[in-house]
Amino acid sequence: MSRRYDSRTTMFSPEGRLYQVEYAMEAIGNAGTCLGILASDGIVLACEKRITNKLLDEIFETEKLYRLSADMVCSVAGITSDANILVNELRHIAQRYQLQYQEPMPCEQLVSQLCDIKQTYTQFGGKRPFGVSLLYAGWDPHYGLQLYQSDPSGNFSGWKATCIGANNAQAMSTLESEFKEGITLEDAVPLAIKIMHKIMDQNKLTAEKLELATVTRSDDKTKMTIIPREKLEKLISEREKLAAAEKQK
Amino acid sequence: MDFSIGIKGQDYVILAEDMNAAHSIILNQQDHTKMLDLNDHLLLARTGELGDGVQCAEYLQKNIQLYQLRNGYEMRSNAAANYIRKYLADSIRSQEPMNVNILLAAYDTISKEPQLYYIDYMGSMATVPFAAHGHGALFSLGIIDRYYSRSMSRDEALSVLKKCIVELKKRFIVNYTSFNVQVVDSQGIHQLDRIVA
């Protein structure tokens, strides 16, 4: 029945749904997880890497994390080639703003402008929506540190903690119980590892498969720090010890 | 034949401008306001082609208001100044350049600093403690150089302004009957008494 209404992106179904948009979100539901937590002194982004063939040549520092401007970074979940287009567009938007106003683009404005573009693919043109959800972490002088999430429909919202990609529902329910207001980065990073460990239970969590970055403010500058592999290995083994101890109880 | 002048203090910026609206040798109006509030903390004084000035100032004002409506906060003074500068820089490179010179008085509510921007019709911009546009600038800048200090009070700034006006009355060929004076501070934009030459 829905077959009739799902091949054209620009058609509503009789039940008032946009099937192409929903199918795009399905695609993301099978992609590598991205988790974001907004702490009082920084933001942590944890991503599951899917492409881990040892023959791969490391040209880029990160697979899922991208720097958008001096004050914003994002992580992506979904079709990588679609993500590349969107990240490129985000960088253009941010630089165009900077050219005109000679100040870094405020976070919400950047997210909002990209989402307006994503929305057009759900309303006209006949092209399919982008199969990407993004998490944005950044700082601006209006609202300080912020975490946003956007999806193929062009909707976005601000979050204290959120998750996209595979097993995001499980991660969200854990976050709902474990996230505490005023959490610091020192506690948020192990919490992120804990959740990634939990949801990647099927395929064991290793430092190879994880990308973790923190966004902080110091000396009037925004810093994105990618946690090095050794530190990740240490954090993961600490988490495994704790998990084993909890199991024994 | 316009004249605009701005003086920045510790926590305020005073802008004054002549009130003549003239075309060639005809003086159409002697109480014409050429200053516009762009938002609660941005004041623009324009000199140059009258029609261009209105088009330009209103367009900038509406866009700055739109930014505020879209985003929920005012455009910051530095962002607004650069936006105006780019608008004029693009204009001079178009088929119909705007012949408008601008003095922008601003108070940035985030950094809590007053700011005075000198922007000319070609899109050059400078952040200055005091500035003037027009022929009157040749007479005024030397006087302000002599008496200006960053810590001067508003009354002191106004008296320096009056010294400039006295000099213009004496030595400048164009007769300015009165000057519109406004001040921008943390509380917003305020109208001061007109100075009658």
Side-chain angles (χ1 to χ4, degrees):
Chain A
M1 183 43 183
S2 63
R3 280 266 138 220
R4 262 207 224 155
Y5 302 97
D6 62 1
S7 52
R8 296 265 299 272
T9 60
T10 53
M11 277 174 79
F12 277 113
S13 78
E15 303 92 54
R17 294 158 70 170
L18 290 169
Y19 279 110
Q20 281 299 312
V21 176
E22 290 183 22
Y23 296 158
M25 305 218 216
E26 262 304 304
I28 296 160
N30 298 325
T33 316
C34 283
L35 174 72
I37 301 176
L38 175 64
S40 56
D41 55 341
I43 305 168
V44 57
L45 290 174
C47 309
E48 176 197 349
K49 289 207 281 201
R50 285 286 171 89
I51 308 169
T52 53
N53 195 319
K54 68 176 181 186
L55 291 174
L56 274 174
D57 190 11
E58 276 174 21
I59 303 173
F60 298 111
E61 207 181 357
T62 57
E63 177 193 308
K64 309 246 302 177
L65 291 161
Y66 298 92
R67 171 152 253 174
L68 300 178
S69 71
D71 289 312
M72 274 198 83
V73 306
C74 77
S75 68
V76 301
I79 303 173
T80 312
S81 43
D82 285 10
N84 287 338
I85 303 287
L86 290 181
V87 167
N88 204 26
E89 189 59 40
L90 281 161
R91 287 169 172 161
H92 269 104
I93 296 169
Q95 291 307 118
R96 253 178 256 138
Y97 182 97
Q98 178 121 27
L99 176 64
Q100 185 162 59
Y101 297 102
Q102 296 297 318
E103 67 169 20
M105 189 167 193
C107 303
E108 191 174 342
Q109 288 189 46
L110 179 57
V111 177
S112 172
Q113 282 198 25
L114 184 79
C115 285
D116 286 345
I117 295 172
K118 287 208 268 186
Q119 186 276 343
T120 65
Y121 287 81
T122 71
Q123 193 172 21
F124 50 83
K127 300 183 195 169
R128 66 164 176 82
F130 291 94
V132 193
S133 277
L134 298 103
L135 288 184
Y136 311 79
W139 181 92
D140 67 41
H142 301 281
Y143 297 114
L145 290 165
Q146 297 150 71
L147 176 66
Y148 292 94
Q149 175 193 326
S150 73
D151 62 28
S153 66
N155 260 329
F156 74 93
S157 36
W159 293 85
K160 295 174 195 171
T162 187
C163 186
I164 53 177
N167 301 313
N168 66 68
Q170 190 185 354
M172 288 296 276
S173 68
T174 317
L175 278 170
E176 266 165 50
S177 51
E178 306 250 352
F179 177 82
K180 299 279 177 289
E181 284 283 346
I183 189 173
T184 59
L185 209 53
E186 208 184 318
D187 294 326
V189 172
L191 175 59
I193 302 262
K194 175 179 179 179
I195 296 175
M196 293 301 276
H197 182 260
K198 205 170 181 182
I199 60 181
M200 283 168 72
D201 206 29
Q202 309 286 57
N203 333 302
K204 194 168 172 308
L205 174 65
T206 62
E208 259 184 347
K209 293 208 192 123
L210 191 63
E211 237 164 46
L212 203 140
T214 57
V215 179
T216 49
R217 257 321 260 189
S218 66
D219 294 328
D220 282 335
K221 280 197 168 58
T222 310
K223 283 173 28 176
M224 170 169 98
T225 319
I226 298 167
I227 308 293
R229 181 161 295 186
E230 308 80 52
K231 180 108 196 285
L232 274 181
E233 279 168 359
K234 196 159 153 271
L235 285 163
I236 292 172
S237 68
E238 274 169 21
R239 173 40 17 205
E240 282 173 347
K241 281 195 207 119
L242 279 169
E246 277 163 24
K247 255 201 185 128
Q248 290 212 325
K249 278 192 201 150
Chain B
M1 289 299 165
D2 298 308
F3 170 66
S4 65
I5 182 168
I7 301 178
K8 178 173 79 173
Q10 290 281 44
D11 58 353
Y12 65 88
V13 187
I14 288 177
L15 275 190
E17 198 164 31
D18 76 279
M19 300 185 79
N20 281 358
H23 282 97
S24 172
I25 56 168
I26 304 287
L27 187 57
N28 286 314
Q29 196 180 358
Q30 287 183 334
D31 56 357
H32 179 63
T33 335
K34 293 177 276 189
M35 283 205 236
L36 197 62
D37 300 4
L38 301 180
N39 68 25
D40 287 341
H41 295 93
L42 279 168
L43 179 65
L44 182 144
R46 51 183 171 75
T47 53
E49 191 81 47
L50 281 171
D52 281 357
V54 173
Q55 278 295 79
C56 176
E58 287 188 352
Y59 176 83
L60 294 168
Q61 181 196 50
K62 295 325 172 202
N63 274 292
I64 289 170
Q65 286 295 324
L66 181 60
Y67 182 99
Q68 187 166 342
L69 284 164
R70 273 203 188 123
N71 301 306
Y73 42 79
E74 275 186 349
M75 196 187 279
R76 293 189 71 178
S77 57
N78 203 49
N82 276 289
Y83 171 64
I84 293 168
R85 188 215 73 80
K86 184 163 196 296
Y87 174 72
L88 290 171
D90 291 337
S91 166
I92 192 98
R93 291 164 177 79
S94 73
Q95 299 287 59
E96 298 282 327
M98 287 274 182
N99 196 354
V100 187
N101 293 310
I102 286 172
L103 282 182
L104 184 71
Y107 188 86
D108 188 328
T109 47
I110 292 182
S111 67
K112 311 245 185 300
E113 291 274 322
Q115 210 61 278
L116 177 63
Y117 300 92
Y118 172 100
I119 305 171
D120 79 2
Y121 71 103
M122 288 182 283
S124 48
M125 182 169 85
T127 337
V128 285
F130 56 88
H133 274 301
H135 292 104
L138 278 79
F139 299 87
S140 313
L141 291 174
I143 296 173
I144 312 177
D145 269 331
R146 169 74 179 78
Y147 293 107
Y148 176 82
S149 93
R150 183 74 203 273
S151 57
M152 63 201 287
S153 71
R154 292 170 204 222
D155 288 331
E156 284 169 337
L158 281 170
S159 76
V160 172
L161 182 60
K162 282 175 188 154
K163 283 188 171 58
C164 298
I165 289 169
V166 163
E167 184 63 19
L168 284 173
K169 183 89 183 158
K170 187 172 179 193
R171 290 295 181 188
F172 189 43
I173 200 171
V174 175
N175 179 39
Y176 297 128
T177 42
S178 59
F179 292 82
N180 180 26
V181 187
Q182 289 187 287
V183 64
V184 184
D185 60 24
S186 59
Q187 308 299 313
I189 301 171
H190 315 283
Q191 182 75 48
L192 298 178
D193 290 335
R194 277 189 202 171
I195 298 176
V196 179

